[in-house]
Amino acid sequence: MRDGSGGRDGSGVRDGSGVRDGSRARDGSGARDGSGVRDGSGVRDGSGVRDGSGSRGIPAARPSSAAPSPAPTQSPSPRPAIQRASVRGQILDALRAALVAGELAPGEVYSAPALGESFGVSATPVREAMQQLATEGAVEVVPNRGFRVVERGARELAELAEIRGLIEAPVMLRLARALPADDWEDLRPLAEETARAAAVGCRATYAEADRAFHRAILALAGNEQLVRIADELHRRAQWPLGGSPTARARLELMADAAQHLALLDALSAQDLSAVDALLREHFVSM
């Protein structure tokens, strides 16, 4: 320890002129206090904030050695169920069924408000469902009137059947070579469901069962895009011909369903020639 001018005490502090105190503070303009703060123009406070012109916002806090207290958690407040998408989906399914059944006649124009009244809903979900059908090619927009059901000819149906055959037949033949009989037997309830739907004679019910059977077969290939594209083509192939809303009679549906059962038998037996012949007949006869 040094005493007197410029002396240091036991803590290493200098007293007198230029003395350092225990906080190493500087006085006067631009002096630093014990927290490292400068006063005067452009002063920084203990948090590093500049005041006056050109000020900065509060910077992010520096990491502390102490772990921060966890923020209190709050249970999310319950939200009401959103029903609009559900209503739109139900209306879309109903309109598709009406198209297949011929209840929406090809060439006729239907307004969203009128259809909404028949379904007991507003025009909005009907209009949205009709817009979806327009993207699928089932209807076309008629400005200021509504939506016209597209008239389709036998050639269009034949083209769709050809495309479906080109996509589905090679996949089924490949699966017939690879899968055991038990895998095909698992699909028999779906084939039997098509037979029951055909016996009832409801084309809309049969259309759903028919597509479910084909989707199940193609799903065995493990290609989701294949299933989606083939199902969309299948749906379009089920719309009725223009001017003939009852084009497929009950007996035709039953013959189509019988081909499903025969196809499963051939697939289970890995009879490739029978599978090929049945697929050709199935797609051509649609």
Side-chain angles (χ1 to χ4, degrees), residues 71-274:
T73 57
Q74 295 181 352
S75 301
S77 58
R79 298 181 179 179
I82 299 174
Q83 299 294 331
R84 180 174 177 179
S86 175
V87 171
R88 174 187 174 279
Q90 293 176 44
I91 296 298
L92 181 59
D93 290 341
L95 290 173
R96 282 171 171 166
L99 280 170
V100 173
E103 296 171 3
L104 296 178
E108 293 295 322
V109 177
Y110 298 89
S111 71
L115 288 172
E117 184 176 353
S118 66
F119 285 122
V121 299
S122 69
T124 299
V126 176
R127 189 175 291 107
E128 292 174 347
M130 279 293 198
Q131 291 287 354
Q132 176 61 34
L133 291 175
T135 64
E136 298 174 4
V139 301
E140 57 188 10
V141 178
V142 181
N144 302 320
R145 293 185 60 194
F147 301 86
R148 178 185 291 112
V149 179
V150 174
E151 296 189 66
R152 309 167 71 239
R155 177 174 180 176
E156 182 178 351
L157 287 181
E159 291 173 347
L160 289 170
E162 181 181 5
I163 296 171
R164 288 188 60 209
L166 292 172
I167 292 176
E168 296 189 36
V171 175
M172 292 186 188
L173 287 168
R174 175 165 57 86
L175 292 173
R177 299 184 185 96
L179 298 182
D182 289 345
D183 287 358
W184 299 113
E185 288 304 311
D186 291 341
L187 303 185
R188 192 165 293 276
L190 292 175
E192 293 171 347
E193 181 61 28
T194 65
R196 285 191 291 270
V200 173
C202 176
R203 294 178 58 212
T205 302
Y206 182 80
E208 290 297 322
D210 184 22
R211 291 193 0 261
F213 174 73
H214 281 264
R215 281 198 307 268
I217 291 180
L218 296 177
L220 295 174
N223 188 326
E224 295 181 2
Q225 298 303 313
L226 168 71
V227 175
R228 182 182 63 80
I229 293 172
D231 188 59
E232 181 60 30
L233 288 169
H234 196 168
R235 186 195 301 279
R236 292 179 60 188
Q238 292 173 333
W239 300 333
L241 289 167
S244 181
T246 58
R248 302 189 69 186
R250 179 168 168 265
L251 291 178
E252 291 177 308
L253 297 180
M254 294 179 67
D256 192 73
Q259 291 176 352
H260 291 160
L261 293 167
L263 179 61
L264 274 188
D265 292 337
L267 289 167
S268 298
Q270 293 187 325
D271 187 342
L272 300 184
S273 61

Side-chain angles (χ1 to χ4, degrees), residues 12-103:
V13 178
R14 294 179 182 175
D15 56 9
S17 175
V19 173
R20 296 180 183 172
D21 61 8
S23 63
R24 302 178 62 187
R26 294 179 183 173
D27 55 6
S29 175
R32 294 183 181 173
D33 61 9
S35 61
V37 178
R38 292 181 181 173
D39 55 9
S41 175
V43 173
R44 294 183 182 174
D45 62 9
S47 63
V49 179
R50 292 181 180 173
D51 58 8
S53 175
S55 62
R56 295 180 184 175
I58 298 175
R62 294 182 179 179
S64 172
S65 58
S69 300
T73 57
Q74 295 181 352
S75 301
S77 58
R79 298 181 179 179
I82 299 174
Q83 299 294 331
R84 180 174 177 179
S86 175
V87 171
R88 174 187 174 279
Q90 293 176 44
I91 296 298
L92 181 59
D93 290 341
L95 290 173
R96 282 171 171 166
L99 280 170
V100 173
E103 296 171 3

